[in-house]
Amino acid sequence: MLKVKRLTICGSEKTRYIDEAPYFGFALESDKKDNKLNKAIITIDNQVIETNEQIHIPYNDELKPLTKYVVNLKAKDINGEEAELSKEFFTGKLNEPWLGKWISDASYIFKEAGSPKVMTFVKRLKLEELPKEALICITALGIYKLFVNNKPVSEDYFTPGFTTYKDQLQYQIYDISKLLNGDDEIKVVVAGGWAVGDFTYGHKNRITANRQALKAEIHLIDEIGKIIPTDESWKVTTDGPFKYADFYDGEVYDATSREVNWHQASIEKVKTEPKKLIATYGEVVNLHEVLKPIEIKQAPSGEYIYDFGQNFAGIVKLKIKKAVEGQKIVVHHAEVLYKDELCLKLLRRAKATLEYTCLEGAQEYLPSFTYMGFRYVGISGINPEDIEVEAHAIYSNVEEIGSFSCSDERLNKLQENIRWSAKSNFVEIPTDCPQRDERMGWTGDIGLFASTATYNFDMDVFLRKWLKDLRSEQIRGGGFPNSVPSQSHGFPLTMPNMAIDFWGDCCIFVPYALYMHSGDKKVLEENYEMMKRYNKACLWWANFLSFGKNRYIWKGIGMFHFGDWVAPDTEKMSEWQARHKWTATASLANTSKMLADIASILGKKEDQEKYLKLYKKVSDAYESKLTDGKGLIKGKEFQTAYVLPLAFNMFKEETTPLAVNNLVKLIEKNNYGVGTGFPGTPFILFALADNNREDVAFKMLFNDNCPSWLYEVKVGGTTTWERWDALKADGTLNFAEEDGTGGMVSFNHYALGAVGDFMYRRILGIEPLEGGYKTFQVKPLLSCGLEHAEGKTRSAYGDISVSWTNKDNKFEINIDVPFGTECQLILPNGEKEILRSGKHYVSQ
Ligand code: BGC
């Protein structure tokens, strides 16, 4: 039987309001082997699309605003069987002008450091007749929560979301029909968020607006149709129970306070008017897993420490059983303990504190406008018998679509840790860490982690939203601010021609990873110009003041680089940065090669040749100028200097094995410990395993001495860390006081967890050979020594599952090959078998 497994609209199965031209995709399932699509017919309204594609089927007809559309898919396979599925979507305002004006509180002048007072807006609605349908279109500069008659309208957090506000701001549409009774109060509470509040470790505020502003329209949909916009008839106050709200510092909430001092809202001229308001096109942030404390104990300070057993991004819910009016409860958050107390020092200037003033009796409190990165909370002001505390993980709704497990529990834990760090850092945008005063969209981190992310999660909607911001923020010369949305964050905005190796490379890494997973060429097309401009900027810097082959060495004269960021074999930040000549030149070669591949996918022959030539020139320069020509790095060797050119195939065929030997020697000298920073880490195991040294790759992976991935697991890590030695081998915490980073140590960073990519590709063995896994390879490396591994990832065509065992000289493998795809299975003896769609069992 043929079945439609998934039908997506704009890359998502969720029913949404959309403002951009829709496109469709679908996955099929059948019990027949070697099945394929014959033809599909998609009907929307009056348009009929006939196709034999399953990915990115565009809809080009006109759409009406705020309208429901039903998409009907009928698919027929080559055996003549048919399947059908319908799904609806709604349009947003499309290009309809907004009647809602920006409103604010003109009497509130916000000048201080930190975040602004919380603003509350209300509008009383008196309706003679209830409309058939009532929708609210709403956005803010700041972050808001919407209530109708004091009931929250949604469970969404941090709406309207985080984007490059100057260009695009999301708005949401909620159906409030069922909440209205004819005499209603619409209330919107708006905190500072990213637009007005404190953001970046530079602690800037008022970046987009000087104070919060709200824009909304209530659409009463019946025969006549009426729109109630935000205007001066709304009331506003800054006096209410929310006394303070800030991402880094937390929330101060006084439940005994009421909203008072209501006055007329004013029309606001916002500092930065977003060019476009677009109905939510990213993944909204919601609460997810609920965690209960595994231990409660009293610290010497008297605070009760609750241990949730897991480091993550989230908030706590206080379920207070008994309290007296005015009783104040204080909650601190931390990732680790230090001398039996919460270690707050690593939060740097983030206070990560909740202060809650109680009403009399039983009550609950859940913060609205903040989140923290933590495993432990310290609570004072109430005894444990009077309160129950649970924690809620918070992150954008990225769906888990992959899994990996094997016969070594330590790797399973590493996989779990990688996923927790990923989820903790997918909060509206891809962030670096969720706890200290950063939580910024550092470009390098997501660039290096993108491939691992796409194996584990459906990243399409989430990352395409971020790529729109990346395109917006590309600077004149082709580079990027080092975090996006930059919110005017410092360097390199000051330098119009700035480009930073590996951090800027995200403009190629991210779309490429998305394309390989989704097969949607559109993601390459819409980012292609951005990639080319970036590559040009990198080449410009390499060429700068240089002659001959030196023109292809990206030296970084007068430039800023991160180099071999957090490499554990050197002590200081300046030493990581001093390695930029190697990292930057390898980056230029690699992005040129990736651009050549992308040009070829897009059918741009000339570009393909041009970038391939550049890749060869840069590779040759690396070998001629930075090595002795016989595979030895000139000057002081370090792992990354070998790893990058090896992983990117930059050395000549005859020098490659020599360079591999030199890398292996370095690794042996380091007792199989990792010596790479951010740029080298995702590639080191590939550089070895794909160059005939699987033995060394697996020795490194299974090593559990510091620095290594399994060291973090061995000493109890529940996430992946920013620094290999965040907890030092002698059991003391690394406070990074002397290394020039200003105490930069987080226990929840995903960048170094990019080893997850290797686990999927080389242990499980699943690797796409074509975008969307139309054809893919399964080639487990049995030299890993494991008895068993299993897992899956969801491709555009459906789930690819692999489960293998290698015991008593017998190899057995089960593979699910999705409908319409082809798998090349490489058996342990090197033989190749072609498996077409269906379930397969093979042994040897
Ligand atoms: C962040 C990183 C980031 C780096 C830039 C740090 O403070 O946490 O993950 O990539 O700065 O070098």
Side-chain angles (χ1 to χ4, degrees), residues 29-83:
E29 204 177 54
S30 156
D31 50 6
K32 300 223 166 28
K33 283 206 170 166
D34 194 8
N35 207 348
K36 283 196 185 77
L37 177 71
N38 172 11
K39 178 169 89 176
I41 296 175
I42 299 177
T43 319
I44 318 106
D45 216 17
N46 295 323
Q47 207 197 41
V48 180
I49 308 170
E50 215 182 290
T51 180
N52 43 25
E53 295 290 334
Q54 287 182 239
I55 293 171
H56 204 106
I57 304 148
Y59 175 83
N60 299 319
D61 230 7
E62 289 276 296
L63 291 168
K64 289 196 264 327
L66 297 179
T67 305
K68 176 166 120 182
Y69 287 86
V70 179
V71 181
N72 177 266
L73 162 73
K74 273 195 190 131
K76 193 171 170 186
D77 65 21
I78 49 170
N79 298 301
E81 287 191 358
E82 288 185 340

Short mmCIF file of all heavy atoms in Angstrom, two decimals, residues 29-83:
data_model
loop_
_atom_site.label_atom_id
_atom_site.label_comp_id
_atom_site.label_asym_id
_atom_site.label_seq_id
_atom_site.Cartn_x
_atom_site.Cartn_y
_atom_site.Cartn_z
N GLU A 29 5.45 6.37 1.59
CA GLU A 29 5.84 5.10 2.19
C GLU A 29 5.09 3.99 1.46
O GLU A 29 3.93 4.18 1.11
CB GLU A 29 5.40 5.11 3.65
CG GLU A 29 6.18 4.20 4.55
CD GLU A 29 5.70 4.37 5.99
OE1 GLU A 29 4.48 4.25 6.22
OE2 GLU A 29 6.53 4.65 6.84
N SER A 30 5.78 2.87 1.25
CA SER A 30 5.11 1.80 0.51
C SER A 30 5.66 0.46 0.99
O SER A 30 6.81 0.36 1.42
CB SER A 30 5.40 1.99 -0.98
OG SER A 30 5.29 0.79 -1.67
N ASP A 31 4.84 -0.58 0.91
CA ASP A 31 5.35 -1.90 1.29
C ASP A 31 6.02 -2.61 0.11
O ASP A 31 6.56 -3.69 0.24
CB ASP A 31 4.24 -2.76 1.91
CG ASP A 31 2.99 -2.77 1.04
OD1 ASP A 31 3.04 -2.21 -0.08
OD2 ASP A 31 1.98 -3.35 1.48
N LYS A 32 5.98 -1.97 -1.05
CA LYS A 32 6.64 -2.57 -2.22
C LYS A 32 8.09 -2.10 -2.29
O LYS A 32 8.36 -0.92 -2.09
CB LYS A 32 5.93 -2.13 -3.50
CG LYS A 32 4.48 -2.53 -3.56
CD LYS A 32 4.15 -3.05 -4.94
CE LYS A 32 2.83 -3.79 -5.00
NZ LYS A 32 1.80 -3.43 -4.05
N LYS A 33 8.96 -3.04 -2.60
CA LYS A 33 10.38 -2.66 -2.75
C LYS A 33 10.59 -1.91 -4.05
O LYS A 33 9.81 -2.06 -4.99
CB LYS A 33 11.25 -3.91 -2.72
CG LYS A 33 11.41 -4.42 -1.30
CD LYS A 33 12.69 -5.21 -1.11
CE LYS A 33 12.84 -5.43 0.38
NZ LYS A 33 13.80 -6.40 0.75
N ASP A 34 11.66 -1.14 -4.06
CA ASP A 34 12.09 -0.45 -5.27
C ASP A 34 10.95 0.39 -5.89
O ASP A 34 10.74 0.38 -7.09
CB ASP A 34 12.59 -1.49 -6.29
CG ASP A 34 13.35 -0.81 -7.41
OD1 ASP A 34 13.60 0.41 -7.28
OD2 ASP A 34 13.69 -1.49 -8.39
N ASN A 35 10.24 1.06 -5.01
CA ASN A 35 9.10 1.83 -5.49
C ASN A 35 9.51 3.27 -5.75
O ASN A 35 10.44 3.80 -5.13
CB ASN A 35 7.98 1.78 -4.45
CG ASN A 35 6.62 1.96 -5.09
OD1 ASN A 35 6.52 2.33 -6.27
ND2 ASN A 35 5.57 1.68 -4.34
N LYS A 36 8.81 3.89 -6.67
CA LYS A 36 9.12 5.28 -7.03
C LYS A 36 7.83 6.02 -7.32
O LYS A 36 6.80 5.41 -7.60
CB LYS A 36 9.98 5.32 -8.28
CG LYS A 36 11.43 4.98 -8.05
CD LYS A 36 12.26 5.45 -9.26
CE LYS A 36 13.69 5.02 -9.12
NZ LYS A 36 13.95 3.62 -9.41
N LEU A 37 7.96 7.34 -7.33
CA LEU A 37 6.81 8.17 -7.66
C LEU A 37 6.61 8.17 -9.17
O LEU A 37 7.56 8.32 -9.93
CB LEU A 37 7.08 9.60 -7.18
CG LEU A 37 6.01 10.64 -7.49
CD1 LEU A 37 4.75 10.40 -6.67
CD2 LEU A 37 6.53 12.04 -7.23
N ASN A 38 5.37 8.01 -9.58
CA ASN A 38 5.08 8.16 -11.00
C ASN A 38 4.68 9.61 -11.24
O ASN A 38 5.28 10.32 -12.04
CB ASN A 38 3.97 7.18 -11.37
CG ASN A 38 3.46 7.39 -12.77
OD1 ASN A 38 4.07 8.12 -13.54
ND2 ASN A 38 2.35 6.77 -13.11
N LYS A 39 3.70 10.07 -10.45
CA LYS A 39 3.20 11.42 -10.67
C LYS A 39 2.46 11.87 -9.42
O LYS A 39 1.86 11.06 -8.72
CB LYS A 39 2.25 11.36 -11.87
CG LYS A 39 1.61 12.66 -12.21
CD LYS A 39 0.92 12.56 -13.56
CE LYS A 39 -0.51 12.06 -13.35
NZ LYS A 39 -1.28 12.01 -14.56
N ALA A 40 2.51 13.16 -9.16
CA ALA A 40 1.72 13.68 -8.04
C ALA A 40 0.92 14.87 -8.53
O ALA A 40 1.37 15.62 -9.40
CB ALA A 40 2.63 14.11 -6.91
N ILE A 41 -0.28 14.99 -7.98
CA ILE A 41 -1.11 16.15 -8.32
C ILE A 41 -1.41 16.89 -7.03
O ILE A 41 -1.93 16.31 -6.07
CB ILE A 41 -2.41 15.72 -9.03
CG1 ILE A 41 -2.03 15.07 -10.36
CG2 ILE A 41 -3.33 16.92 -9.26
CD1 ILE A 41 -3.17 14.50 -11.12
N ILE A 42 -1.03 18.16 -7.02
CA ILE A 42 -1.29 18.97 -5.83
C ILE A 42 -2.33 20.01 -6.22
O ILE A 42 -2.14 20.76 -7.18
CB ILE A 42 0.01 19.64 -5.34
CG1 ILE A 42 1.03 18.55 -4.96
CG2 ILE A 42 -0.26 20.54 -4.14
CD1 ILE A 42 2.36 19.07 -4.54
N THR A 43 -3.40 20.04 -5.46
CA THR A 43 -4.46 21.01 -5.75
C THR A 43 -4.56 21.98 -4.58
O THR A 43 -4.65 21.56 -3.43
CB THR A 43 -5.82 20.28 -5.91
OG1 THR A 43 -5.60 19.10 -6.64
CG2 THR A 43 -6.84 21.15 -6.60
N ILE A 44 -4.53 23.27 -4.90
CA ILE A 44 -4.71 24.30 -3.90
C ILE A 44 -5.67 25.29 -4.52
O ILE A 44 -5.36 25.89 -5.54
CB ILE A 44 -3.42 25.09 -3.57
CG1 ILE A 44 -2.23 24.18 -3.48
CG2 ILE A 44 -3.57 25.91 -2.29
CD1 ILE A 44 -1.35 24.30 -4.65
N ASP A 45 -6.79 25.48 -3.83
CA ASP A 45 -7.77 26.39 -4.38
C ASP A 45 -8.08 25.92 -5.81
O ASP A 45 -8.44 24.77 -6.01
CB ASP A 45 -7.19 27.82 -4.33
CG ASP A 45 -8.26 28.83 -4.03
OD1 ASP A 45 -9.32 28.41 -3.55
OD2 ASP A 45 -8.03 30.03 -4.28
N ASN A 46 -7.85 26.82 -6.80
CA ASN A 46 -8.15 26.38 -8.15
C ASN A 46 -6.91 25.96 -8.92
O ASN A 46 -7.00 25.58 -10.08
CB ASN A 46 -8.85 27.51 -8.94
CG ASN A 46 -10.18 27.80 -8.31
OD1 ASN A 46 -10.85 26.87 -7.86
ND2 ASN A 46 -10.54 29.07 -8.23
N GLN A 47 -5.78 26.04 -8.27
CA GLN A 47 -4.57 25.71 -9.02
C GLN A 47 -4.24 24.22 -8.90
O GLN A 47 -4.34 23.64 -7.81
CB GLN A 47 -3.38 26.54 -8.54
CG GLN A 47 -2.38 26.72 -9.65
CD GLN A 47 -1.02 27.16 -9.18
OE1 GLN A 47 -0.51 26.69 -8.16
NE2 GLN A 47 -0.42 28.05 -9.93
N VAL A 48 -3.86 23.64 -10.01
CA VAL A 48 -3.48 22.23 -9.99
C VAL A 48 -2.03 22.14 -10.45
O VAL A 48 -1.67 22.65 -11.51
CB VAL A 48 -4.39 21.41 -10.94
CG1 VAL A 48 -4.00 19.95 -10.92
CG2 VAL A 48 -5.85 21.58 -10.56
N ILE A 49 -1.22 21.52 -9.63
CA ILE A 49 0.19 21.37 -10.01
C ILE A 49 0.45 19.89 -10.25
O ILE A 49 0.18 19.06 -9.38
CB ILE A 49 1.14 21.85 -8.88
CG1 ILE A 49 0.77 23.26 -8.42
CG2 ILE A 49 2.59 21.78 -9.29
CD1 ILE A 49 1.51 23.69 -7.15
N GLU A 50 0.98 19.59 -11.41
CA GLU A 50 1.33 18.21 -11.70
C GLU A 50 2.83 18.10 -11.62
O GLU A 50 3.54 18.94 -12.19
CB GLU A 50 0.84 17.85 -13.10
CG GLU A 50 0.39 16.41 -13.16
CD GLU A 50 -0.06 16.02 -14.54
OE1 GLU A 50 -1.11 16.49 -14.97
OE2 GLU A 50 0.71 15.26 -15.17
N THR A 51 3.33 17.14 -10.92
CA THR A 51 4.79 17.09 -10.73
C THR A 51 5.28 15.66 -10.56
O THR A 51 4.51 14.77 -10.19
CB THR A 51 5.19 17.92 -9.48
OG1 THR A 51 6.59 17.86 -9.31
CG2 THR A 51 4.53 17.42 -8.20
N ASN A 52 6.58 15.47 -10.83
CA ASN A 52 7.16 14.21 -10.37
C ASN A 52 8.32 14.47 -9.43
O ASN A 52 9.19 13.66 -9.21
CB ASN A 52 7.57 13.29 -11.53
CG ASN A 52 8.25 14.05 -12.63
OD1 ASN A 52 8.82 15.11 -12.35
ND2 ASN A 52 8.18 13.55 -13.84
N GLU A 53 8.28 15.65 -8.83
CA GLU A 53 9.27 16.01 -7.80
C GLU A 53 8.63 15.80 -6.42
O GLU A 53 7.42 15.88 -6.28
CB GLU A 53 9.62 17.50 -7.90
CG GLU A 53 10.32 17.92 -9.17
CD GLU A 53 11.73 17.40 -9.25
OE1 GLU A 53 12.32 17.14 -8.20
OE2 GLU A 53 12.22 17.22 -10.38
N GLN A 54 9.46 15.62 -5.41
CA GLN A 54 8.94 15.52 -4.05
C GLN A 54 9.43 16.68 -3.17
O GLN A 54 9.06 16.78 -2.02
CB GLN A 54 9.36 14.19 -3.43
CG GLN A 54 8.59 13.01 -4.00
CD GLN A 54 8.97 11.70 -3.34
OE1 GLN A 54 9.41 10.80 -4.03
NE2 GLN A 54 8.83 11.58 -2.03
N ILE A 55 10.31 17.49 -3.74
CA ILE A 55 10.94 18.55 -2.94
C ILE A 55 10.71 19.90 -3.57
O ILE A 55 10.81 20.03 -4.80
CB ILE A 55 12.46 18.28 -2.85
CG1 ILE A 55 12.71 17.00 -2.05
CG2 ILE A 55 13.21 19.45 -2.21
CD1 ILE A 55 14.13 16.54 -2.10
N HIS A 56 10.44 20.88 -2.77
CA HIS A 56 10.28 22.26 -3.20
C HIS A 56 9.43 22.39 -4.46
O HIS A 56 9.93 22.71 -5.54
CB HIS A 56 11.64 22.96 -3.41
CG HIS A 56 11.49 24.44 -3.28
ND1 HIS A 56 11.93 25.14 -2.18
CD2 HIS A 56 10.89 25.36 -4.08
CE1 HIS A 56 11.63 26.41 -2.33
NE2 HIS A 56 11.00 26.57 -3.46
N ILE A 57 8.16 22.17 -4.31
CA ILE A 57 7.22 22.36 -5.42
C ILE A 57 6.57 23.72 -5.18
O ILE A 57 5.81 23.89 -4.23
CB ILE A 57 6.18 21.23 -5.43
CG1 ILE A 57 6.91 19.88 -5.51
CG2 ILE A 57 5.18 21.40 -6.57
CD1 ILE A 57 6.24 18.76 -4.82
N PRO A 58 6.90 24.72 -6.00
CA PRO A 58 6.43 26.07 -5.69
C PRO A 58 4.98 26.30 -6.14
O PRO A 58 4.49 25.67 -7.06
CB PRO A 58 7.38 26.96 -6.49
CG PRO A 58 7.90 26.10 -7.59
CD PRO A 58 7.77 24.67 -7.18
N TYR A 59 4.35 27.22 -5.43
CA TYR A 59 2.99 27.66 -5.77
C TYR A 59 3.10 29.10 -6.22
O TYR A 59 3.63 29.94 -5.48
CB TYR A 59 2.11 27.54 -4.52
CG TYR A 59 0.71 28.07 -4.70
CD1 TYR A 59 -0.27 27.27 -5.29
CD2 TYR A 59 0.36 29.34 -4.28
CE1 TYR A 59 -1.57 27.74 -5.45
CE2 TYR A 59 -0.94 29.82 -4.43
CZ TYR A 59 -1.90 29.02 -5.01
OH TYR A 59 -3.17 29.49 -5.16
N ASN A 60 2.62 29.37 -7.43
CA ASN A 60 2.90 30.70 -7.96
C ASN A 60 1.67 31.59 -8.11
O ASN A 60 1.76 32.70 -8.57
CB ASN A 60 3.57 30.60 -9.33
CG ASN A 60 4.88 29.85 -9.20
OD1 ASN A 60 5.62 30.08 -8.25
ND2 ASN A 60 5.16 28.95 -10.12
N ASP A 61 0.52 31.08 -7.72
CA ASP A 61 -0.70 31.86 -7.93
C ASP A 61 -0.86 32.93 -6.85
O ASP A 61 -0.21 32.88 -5.82
CB ASP A 61 -1.89 30.91 -7.89
CG ASP A 61 -2.79 31.12 -9.08
OD1 ASP A 61 -2.40 31.88 -9.98
OD2 ASP A 61 -3.87 30.50 -9.11
N GLU A 62 -1.75 33.86 -7.11
CA GLU A 62 -2.08 34.91 -6.14
C GLU A 62 -2.69 34.27 -4.89
O GLU A 62 -3.39 33.27 -4.97
CB GLU A 62 -3.15 35.83 -6.75
CG GLU A 62 -2.64 36.71 -7.86
CD GLU A 62 -2.01 37.96 -7.29
OE1 GLU A 62 -2.73 38.74 -6.67
OE2 GLU A 62 -0.78 38.14 -7.49
N LEU A 63 -2.46 34.91 -3.76
CA LEU A 63 -3.10 34.45 -2.53
C LEU A 63 -3.84 35.62 -1.91
O LEU A 63 -3.44 36.77 -2.06
CB LEU A 63 -2.03 33.95 -1.54
CG LEU A 63 -1.30 32.66 -1.89
CD1 LEU A 63 -0.10 32.48 -0.98
CD2 LEU A 63 -2.23 31.46 -1.77
N LYS A 64 -4.92 35.31 -1.19
CA LYS A 64 -5.66 36.37 -0.51
C LYS A 64 -5.22 36.42 0.95
O LYS A 64 -4.93 35.38 1.55
CB LYS A 64 -7.16 36.05 -0.56
CG LYS A 64 -7.77 36.22 -1.95
CD LYS A 64 -9.27 36.27 -1.87
CE LYS A 64 -10.01 35.03 -2.10
NZ LYS A 64 -9.94 33.94 -2.78
N PRO A 65 -5.18 37.61 1.53
CA PRO A 65 -4.72 37.69 2.92
C PRO A 65 -5.69 37.04 3.92
O PRO A 65 -6.89 36.95 3.64
CB PRO A 65 -4.63 39.20 3.18
CG PRO A 65 -5.46 39.85 2.15
CD PRO A 65 -5.48 38.94 0.97
N LEU A 66 -5.13 36.60 5.03
CA LEU A 66 -5.89 36.02 6.15
C LEU A 66 -6.96 35.03 5.66
O LEU A 66 -8.13 35.12 6.01
CB LEU A 66 -6.52 37.13 6.99
CG LEU A 66 -5.52 38.07 7.68
CD1 LEU A 66 -6.24 39.14 8.48
CD2 LEU A 66 -4.54 37.33 8.57
N THR A 67 -6.53 34.11 4.86
CA THR A 67 -7.45 33.14 4.26
C THR A 67 -6.93 31.72 4.48
O THR A 67 -5.72 31.50 4.50
CB THR A 67 -7.54 33.42 2.73
OG1 THR A 67 -7.93 34.77 2.58
CG2 THR A 67 -8.52 32.50 2.04
N LYS A 68 -7.88 30.82 4.64
CA LYS A 68 -7.49 29.41 4.80
C LYS A 68 -7.39 28.74 3.43
O LYS A 68 -8.26 28.92 2.59
CB LYS A 68 -8.55 28.70 5.64
CG LYS A 68 -8.30 27.22 5.79
CD LYS A 68 -9.18 26.66 6.87
CE LYS A 68 -10.08 25.58 6.30
NZ LYS A 68 -10.98 25.05 7.32
N TYR A 69 -6.33 28.00 3.22
CA TYR A 69 -6.16 27.24 1.98
C TYR A 69 -5.99 25.77 2.31
O TYR A 69 -5.35 25.43 3.30
CB TYR A 69 -4.92 27.73 1.21
CG TYR A 69 -5.14 29.07 0.56
CD1 TYR A 69 -4.93 30.25 1.27
CD2 TYR A 69 -5.59 29.15 -0.76
CE1 TYR A 69 -5.15 31.48 0.69
CE2 TYR A 69 -5.82 30.39 -1.35
CZ TYR A 69 -5.60 31.54 -0.62
OH TYR A 69 -5.83 32.76 -1.20
N VAL A 70 -6.56 24.94 1.46
CA VAL A 70 -6.37 23.50 1.67
C VAL A 70 -5.51 22.97 0.54
O VAL A 70 -5.78 23.22 -0.64
CB VAL A 70 -7.73 22.77 1.72
CG1 VAL A 70 -7.52 21.28 1.92
CG2 VAL A 70 -8.60 23.34 2.84
N VAL A 71 -4.48 22.27 0.94
CA VAL A 71 -3.58 21.67 -0.06
C VAL A 71 -3.92 20.20 -0.11
O VAL A 71 -3.92 19.52 0.90
CB VAL A 71 -2.10 21.81 0.40
CG1 VAL A 71 -1.16 21.22 -0.64
CG2 VAL A 71 -1.78 23.24 0.71
N ASN A 72 -4.23 19.73 -1.31
CA ASN A 72 -4.54 18.31 -1.43
C ASN A 72 -3.49 17.64 -2.31
O ASN A 72 -3.23 18.09 -3.42
CB ASN A 72 -5.94 18.12 -2.01
CG ASN A 72 -6.24 16.65 -2.21
OD1 ASN A 72 -6.03 16.10 -3.28
ND2 ASN A 72 -6.68 16.00 -1.15
N LEU A 73 -2.90 16.60 -1.78
CA LEU A 73 -1.87 15.89 -2.55
C LEU A 73 -2.38 14.51 -2.93
O LEU A 73 -2.87 13.76 -2.07
CB LEU A 73 -0.60 15.75 -1.70
CG LEU A 73 0.40 14.69 -2.16
CD1 LEU A 73 1.14 15.15 -3.42
CD2 LEU A 73 1.40 14.36 -1.07
N LYS A 74 -2.29 14.20 -4.21
CA LYS A 74 -2.60 12.83 -4.67
C LYS A 74 -1.34 12.31 -5.34
O LYS A 74 -0.84 12.92 -6.28
CB LYS A 74 -3.71 12.87 -5.72
CG LYS A 74 -5.07 12.82 -5.12
CD LYS A 74 -6.11 12.49 -6.19
CE LYS A 74 -7.48 12.70 -5.60
NZ LYS A 74 -8.35 13.49 -6.41
N ALA A 75 -0.84 11.21 -4.82
CA ALA A 75 0.39 10.68 -5.40
C ALA A 75 0.13 9.29 -5.98
O ALA A 75 -0.68 8.52 -5.45
CB ALA A 75 1.46 10.59 -4.32
N LYS A 76 0.80 9.01 -7.07
CA LYS A 76 0.65 7.70 -7.71
C LYS A 76 2.04 7.12 -7.90
O LYS A 76 2.96 7.83 -8.36
CB LYS A 76 -0.02 7.92 -9.07
CG LYS A 76 -0.51 6.66 -9.71
CD LYS A 76 -1.34 7.08 -10.92
CE LYS A 76 -1.69 5.94 -11.78
NZ LYS A 76 -2.35 6.40 -12.98
N ASP A 77 2.23 5.86 -7.53
CA ASP A 77 3.56 5.27 -7.68
C ASP A 77 3.68 4.51 -9.01
O ASP A 77 2.70 4.39 -9.74
CB ASP A 77 3.93 4.41 -6.47
CG ASP A 77 3.03 3.19 -6.32
OD1 ASP A 77 2.40 2.79 -7.31
OD2 ASP A 77 2.95 2.67 -5.20
N ILE A 78 4.86 3.96 -9.24
CA ILE A 78 5.06 3.30 -10.53
C ILE A 78 4.30 1.98 -10.63
O ILE A 78 4.20 1.38 -11.68
CB ILE A 78 6.57 3.07 -10.81
CG1 ILE A 78 7.24 2.43 -9.61
CG2 ILE A 78 7.27 4.35 -11.23
CD1 ILE A 78 8.64 1.94 -9.88
N ASN A 79 3.75 1.51 -9.48
CA ASN A 79 2.92 0.31 -9.51
C ASN A 79 1.45 0.62 -9.69
O ASN A 79 0.60 -0.26 -9.61
CB ASN A 79 3.11 -0.48 -8.21
CG ASN A 79 4.54 -0.95 -8.06
OD1 ASN A 79 5.05 -1.66 -8.91
ND2 ASN A 79 5.19 -0.49 -7.00
N GLY A 80 1.15 1.90 -9.83
CA GLY A 80 -0.24 2.30 -10.04
C GLY A 80 -1.03 2.52 -8.76
O GLY A 80 -2.21 2.85 -8.78
N GLU A 81 -0.39 2.33 -7.61
CA GLU A 81 -1.11 2.58 -6.35
C GLU A 81 -1.18 4.07 -6.07
O GLU A 81 -0.30 4.84 -6.46
CB GLU A 81 -0.41 1.85 -5.20
CG GLU A 81 -0.63 0.37 -5.26
CD GLU A 81 -0.17 -0.34 -3.99
OE1 GLU A 81 0.35 0.31 -3.09
OE2 GLU A 81 -0.33 -1.57 -3.95
N GLU A 82 -2.22 4.47 -5.33
CA GLU A 82 -2.42 5.90 -5.09
C GLU A 82 -2.56 6.18 -3.60
O GLU A 82 -3.02 5.33 -2.84
CB GLU A 82 -3.68 6.37 -5.81
CG GLU A 82 -3.48 6.44 -7.30
CD GLU A 82 -4.67 7.03 -8.03
OE1 GLU A 82 -5.78 7.05 -7.46
OE2 GLU A 82 -4.47 7.47 -9.17
N ALA A 83 -2.17 7.37 -3.23
CA ALA A 83 -2.35 7.80 -1.84
C ALA A 83 -2.66 9.28 -1.84
O ALA A 83 -2.30 10.00 -2.78
CB ALA A 83 -1.08 7.53 -1.05
#
